[in-house]
Amino acid sequence: MAMKNKRMPRRLKIFAFFAMLAVLIFAVSGCIRPDPVDGDTMDANPTLLQFATATPVPEGLTGEETDVNGTSAPEVVVPTPTATVTVAPNVTFSIGGDTTQIGPAGVITGSQTASASASATAITSLRLGDTGNRVSSLQQQLKNLGYYTGSVDGTFGEGTEKAVRAFQSRNGLSVDGIAGQSTLKLLESGTAKKAATASPTPKPTAKPTATSSALRLGSTGTKVKNMQQRLKDLGYYTGSVDGVFGQGTENAVKAFQRANGLSADGVAGTATLSKLNSSSAKSNYAASSSATSRPAMRTYTPSTLSTYRYLQLGSSGSDVTKLQQRLKDLGYFNGSVNGSFGSDTETALRAFQERNGLWVDGVAGEDTQRMLYSSDALSAKK
């Protein structure tokens, strides 16, 4: 009985040792194998640690003990139990997009953000070919600012790219046609500049449309021929009645219009033709003899000139040469005696008419020529 009481503490020690070993194994296993979180699965190899079974060594007689009879017996030595732990190499698992690495002994060595998260900013840019609601929103913002006039259809086409470029240029951004972070941020800021408003192009003032009955420079036909004849009868036209409205005809029309209180534009419109063909039309002869704004007509001895031709701006020929030479002799004309009735000839003729009390119109009609070639013609003032 004394021997049994002596062995009890030793057995309790062995039992306590194995109990502690079991607790240690349980604790280590719980640290390295975490439970799945929120339904996520563990990517790592489920066998993280391999544990060797710790088998207790049976009691053996390695020493001597004294039995109840006092006989010496071998001592029972309990070897210290050992556990061999094999740790798996570094293992990684991911939960919620994060990659976690576990090193030896279950130590977490680091975490990395998933590549999808790392490249999240790359999808913020919109460019040619993109589609979707974000493109529709971009188009609407550009439309509100006056840069985009197309359809808000969610397709990033050439029209959208052109609008983005215009927006970038107007707002001092890099002009590449890609709606990147800077472009999108400014669009949403509310401080972006609107598209410049082009000044409306003034509409050209329409020229008055000439009536179909009006005759003008370049017109031809019977109506022109009849007009030329009437102007010739009234002393305004001295050219050929050929039905061609040339420069001489235009000058004759202007002279007629001035003498009859019409607008002297050289176009024979309804008013001019109506006056021209009326009985009240003033002839060039009447204007030369009954003008009220000129000094009283001087008396003069008629020249020996029996015939004359109506000469005015644009006329040419030997009679114009003779006219120029006479004006030169009287000190009115300083130009070239070339037989061409130009503006210098007209100026000289006007000066002669004013000096000699004639109707000042720059046209060499019958009265002007009769005075010019008479012995009573006054020379220019010295």
Side-chain angles (χ1 to χ4, degrees), residues 56 85 100 105 137 183 221 232 235-236 243:
V85 181
T100 305
S137 177
T183 299
K232 195 176 189 76
Y236 294 100

mmCIF file of all heavy atoms in Angstrom, residues 56 85 100 105 137 183 221 232 235-236 243:
data_model
loop_
_atom_site.group_PDB
_atom_site.id
_atom_site.type_symbol
_atom_site.label_atom_id
_atom_site.label_comp_id
_atom_site.label_asym_id
_atom_site.label_seq_id
_atom_site.Cartn_x
_atom_site.Cartn_y
_atom_site.Cartn_z
ATOM 1 N N PRO A 56 3.593 8.695 -26.231
ATOM 2 C CA PRO A 56 4.283 8.571 -24.934
ATOM 3 C C PRO A 56 5.075 7.263 -24.877
ATOM 4 O O PRO A 56 4.650 6.232 -25.397
ATOM 5 C CB PRO A 56 3.147 8.598 -23.911
ATOM 6 C CG PRO A 56 1.950 8.144 -24.683
ATOM 7 C CD PRO A 56 2.151 8.598 -26.077
ATOM 8 N N VAL A 85 7.585 19.354 -35.324
ATOM 9 C CA VAL A 85 6.668 20.258 -36.045
ATOM 10 C C VAL A 85 7.273 20.613 -37.396
ATOM 11 O O VAL A 85 8.372 21.153 -37.461
ATOM 12 C CB VAL A 85 6.406 21.542 -35.236
ATOM 13 C CG1 VAL A 85 5.441 22.435 -36.005
ATOM 14 C CG2 VAL A 85 5.856 21.179 -33.876
ATOM 15 N N THR A 100 -2.482 38.245 -48.699
ATOM 16 C CA THR A 100 -1.721 38.181 -47.433
ATOM 17 C C THR A 100 -0.757 37.017 -47.490
ATOM 18 O O THR A 100 -1.101 35.930 -47.956
ATOM 19 C CB THR A 100 -2.672 38.024 -46.234
ATOM 20 O OG1 THR A 100 -3.605 39.082 -46.270
ATOM 21 C CG2 THR A 100 -1.909 38.046 -44.930
ATOM 22 N N ALA A 105 6.052 29.722 -38.941
ATOM 23 C CA ALA A 105 5.461 29.925 -37.611
ATOM 24 C C ALA A 105 4.226 30.801 -37.678
ATOM 25 O O ALA A 105 3.852 31.417 -36.693
ATOM 26 C CB ALA A 105 6.491 30.531 -36.640
ATOM 27 N N SER A 137 -22.729 61.291 -69.780
ATOM 28 C CA SER A 137 -22.595 62.407 -68.836
ATOM 29 C C SER A 137 -21.590 63.435 -69.345
ATOM 30 O O SER A 137 -21.812 64.645 -69.261
ATOM 31 C CB SER A 137 -22.146 61.867 -67.471
ATOM 32 O OG SER A 137 -21.943 62.915 -66.555
ATOM 33 N N THR A 183 -9.330 66.992 -67.014
ATOM 34 C CA THR A 183 -10.452 67.473 -67.830
ATOM 35 C C THR A 183 -11.780 67.215 -67.138
ATOM 36 O O THR A 183 -12.638 68.100 -67.052
ATOM 37 C CB THR A 183 -10.427 66.789 -69.204
ATOM 38 O OG1 THR A 183 -9.187 67.115 -69.869
ATOM 39 C CG2 THR A 183 -11.580 67.263 -70.075
ATOM 40 N N GLY A 221 -29.811 96.161 -127.800
ATOM 41 C CA GLY A 221 -31.130 95.893 -128.358
ATOM 42 C C GLY A 221 -31.844 97.135 -128.853
ATOM 43 O O GLY A 221 -31.304 98.252 -128.865
ATOM 44 N N LYS A 232 -29.934 111.752 -128.758
ATOM 45 C CA LYS A 232 -29.285 112.486 -129.850
ATOM 46 C C LYS A 232 -30.154 113.663 -130.287
ATOM 47 O O LYS A 232 -29.657 114.767 -130.529
ATOM 48 C CB LYS A 232 -29.038 111.540 -131.016
ATOM 49 C CG LYS A 232 -28.065 112.070 -132.045
ATOM 50 C CD LYS A 232 -27.818 111.015 -133.114
ATOM 51 C CE LYS A 232 -26.695 111.435 -134.030
ATOM 52 N NZ LYS A 232 -25.375 111.281 -133.448
ATOM 53 N N GLY A 235 -29.819 116.485 -128.008
ATOM 54 C CA GLY A 235 -28.495 117.100 -127.964
ATOM 55 C C GLY A 235 -27.565 116.539 -126.904
ATOM 56 O O GLY A 235 -26.526 117.132 -126.616
ATOM 57 N N TYR A 236 -27.918 115.358 -126.333
ATOM 58 C CA TYR A 236 -27.055 114.790 -125.294
ATOM 59 C C TYR A 236 -26.117 113.707 -125.846
ATOM 60 O O TYR A 236 -25.066 113.457 -125.262
ATOM 61 C CB TYR A 236 -27.917 114.153 -124.180
ATOM 62 C CG TYR A 236 -28.726 115.157 -123.401
ATOM 63 C CD1 TYR A 236 -30.075 115.355 -123.689
ATOM 64 C CD2 TYR A 236 -28.148 115.910 -122.387
ATOM 65 C CE1 TYR A 236 -30.827 116.275 -122.986
ATOM 66 C CE2 TYR A 236 -28.900 116.837 -121.679
ATOM 67 C CZ TYR A 236 -30.236 117.012 -121.971
ATOM 68 O OH TYR A 236 -30.976 117.929 -121.280
ATOM 69 N N GLY A 243 -27.494 100.672 -130.871
ATOM 70 C CA GLY A 243 -28.171 99.756 -129.956
ATOM 71 C C GLY A 243 -27.274 99.124 -128.917
ATOM 72 O O GLY A 243 -27.662 98.161 -128.247
#
